[in-house]
Amino acid sequence: MNESVEVAVTRSLPPQYSRVDAAEAVERAWTFPSDWYTDPLIFEREQERIFEREWQYVGPESRLPKPGSYFTTKVGRLPVVVVRQKNGELAAHLNVCPHRGNIVAHDCGERRVFQCGYHGWTFDLDGTLRAAPRSDRETDFDTSDVRLRPLKVEAWGPLIFVNADLDAQPLSATLGGLADLVKERGFDLYSHPLRASRQFEIKCNWKVTLDNNTECYHCQTVHPGFSKEYHVDADNYQITAFPKSFTHLSPKHEESDATSWDDFHINYLWPNFMVSARGNEYFYTYSYVPVDANTTMQYNDYFFPESYSESDVEQAISDIGQIMREDWGIFEQVQIGLRSGMLAHGRLMPDNEQLLRQFQRLVIDALEP
Ligand code: FES
Ligand SMILES: [Fe+2]
């Protein structure tokens, strides 16, 4: 008779392997349910309740130097055109023709009017319909209220944000005390011009990217180069949080060779925007734009001094890219882990990951009925 070998197995799983409500999970310092990172229905709800109601960065004012200057972009799933009007003020419109839904403006440039390429309707820069061919032959067709759908538009310094919710609170309500704090620290958003923009596709849910950027608990393991130059330990790493924004500060190692580098700042604005600054040496923005539940586009605008040559710019972007690549590798592995469907919740460290909990609360507040 064969002798049976006893193997120690866990017959009852730890509780985090069973799904609980999102609010309950946050109370326990667990991550919200893993299916929130993979479910297309959650993705749809996020589009409606977050990306169509909150402020989204679209670009710097320098992209609109004179009346008629415009650029197009995507805000969540919304095609958007941002334009400097004849009176010099900024405007943003849904870039969708109110006739039959065609995209009206393309790329960027300068226009006196926008003309839809399908049936030729033209719109003034303020979005109102100027002309619709053959409308004069219609007997019952009132064009007085036909226009491109407006979006709210505001700026933080030179950075333009839009909001599809016309009843939204002003951008200052999202910024909270962040704008004053970075000013007190001597960080000047006007200090450098836009020198380059890049975009990258990442195979993960947009929340995986923000979960990561709320904490530097991962910095020691994922970013060894960065950690040699900046403090990332709990005693030196500084966090200041406001209800919908926060800032991290990694002080420079005194013994670091990189003497031209100052402290490193990451400033976050709910829901998906960050501006990272290496002291006043240079800064760059991030927008994480969800494409579907498992795909995110990362858009970066890089602001460097005029004194940087083109090759200096490329070198700095490549250096920054090293840190980004280290994070992307993790994001895509995390997404695979979450898609396994077997881990109902992650277990957070309440102190080291306090801002992650704050971010998750904002998501839950937006999504829960
Ligand atoms: S869809 Fe724009 S003019 Fe017809
Ligand atoms: Fe990172």
Side-chain angles (χ1 to χ4, degrees), residues 97 99-102 116 118-121:
C97 184
H99 177 217
R100 296 253 300 281
N102 189 34
C116 178
Y118 198 172
H119 309 92
W121 288 21

Side-chain angles (χ1 to χ4, degrees), residues 34-43 205 207 293-294 335 338-340:
S34 294
D35 56 9
W36 281 35
Y37 294 92
T38 59
D39 182 348
L41 294 177
I42 292 287
F43 177 85
N205 186 273
K207 299 188 293 300
N294 296 291
Q335 191 70 17
L338 296 170
R339 289 181 77 172
S340 73

Side-chain angles (χ1 to χ4, degrees), residues 22-253:
E24 170 66 22
V26 164
E27 283 313 305
R28 297 184 187 191
W30 293 358
T31 60
F32 39 46
S34 294
D35 56 9
W36 281 35
Y37 294 92
T38 59
D39 182 348
L41 294 177
I42 292 287
F43 177 85
E44 285 299 313
R45 203 187 300 172
E46 288 170 346
Q47 292 297 312
E48 286 167 26
R49 299 211 185 164
I50 298 176
F51 292 94
E52 291 163 22
R53 291 186 189 176
E54 303 291 345
W55 289 96
Q56 311 282 301
Y57 173 70
V58 288
E61 275 205 72
S62 60
R63 293 196 67 194
L64 304 173
K66 43 188 169 173
S69 301
Y70 77 95
F71 63 84
T72 57
T73 188
K74 285 282 275 303
V75 170
R77 61 186 169 191
L78 310 181
V80 169
V81 54
V82 188
V83 60
R84 192 173 293 284
Q85 301 177 86
K86 290 190 184 109
N87 63 5
E89 288 182 8
L90 299 177
H93 314 297
L94 184 71
N95 189 15
V96 173
C97 184
H99 177 217
R100 296 253 300 281
N102 189 34
I103 300 298
V104 178
H106 298 275
D107 303 320
C108 59
E110 214 181 305
R111 290 273 187 285
R112 293 162 66 89
V113 293
F114 294 116
Q115 182 167 43
C116 178
Y118 198 172
H119 309 92
W121 288 21
T122 52
F123 303 88
D124 280 320
L125 301 180
D126 67 3
T128 52
L129 181 71
R130 171 183 278 224
R134 296 195 213 169
S135 58
D136 54 338
R137 296 166 65 106
E138 293 286 330
T139 48
D140 185 20
F141 186 66
D142 177 10
T143 58
S144 62
D145 65 348
V146 178
R147 57 161 300 133
L148 297 173
R149 185 206 188 277
L151 280 77
K152 290 184 93 162
V153 58
E154 284 196 46
W156 176 24
L159 308 179
I160 306 171
F161 290 75
V162 304
N163 194 321
D165 179 0
L166 300 182
D167 297 321
Q169 296 282 305
L171 178 62
S172 58
T174 301
L175 277 164
L178 184 68
D180 286 342
L181 180 64
V182 298
K183 223 185 262 174
E184 280 163 25
R185 287 179 173 172
F187 175 49
D188 179 5
L189 285 165
Y190 289 97
S191 54
H192 308 304
L194 177 71
R195 297 291 302 275
S197 300
R198 297 282 189 277
Q199 60 185 69
F200 308 94
E201 185 183 277
I202 318 169
K203 297 308 289 178
C204 73
N205 186 273
W206 72 280
K207 299 188 293 300
V208 170
T209 68
L210 272 312
D211 284 352
N212 176 77
N213 288 316
T214 58
E215 49 88 0
C216 206
Y217 178 37
H218 73 278
C219 292
Q220 197 75 56
T221 36
V222 177
H223 305 304
F226 179 84
S227 303
K228 267 192 203 130
E229 283 163 312
Y230 295 98
H231 287 286
V232 297
D233 59 290
D235 290 332
N236 287 291
Y237 193 76
Q238 297 167 29
I239 291 169
T240 310
F242 303 99
K244 290 188 170 180
S245 67
F246 48 73
T247 178
H248 308 235
L249 191 160
S250 296
K252 190 174 66 168
H253 279 300

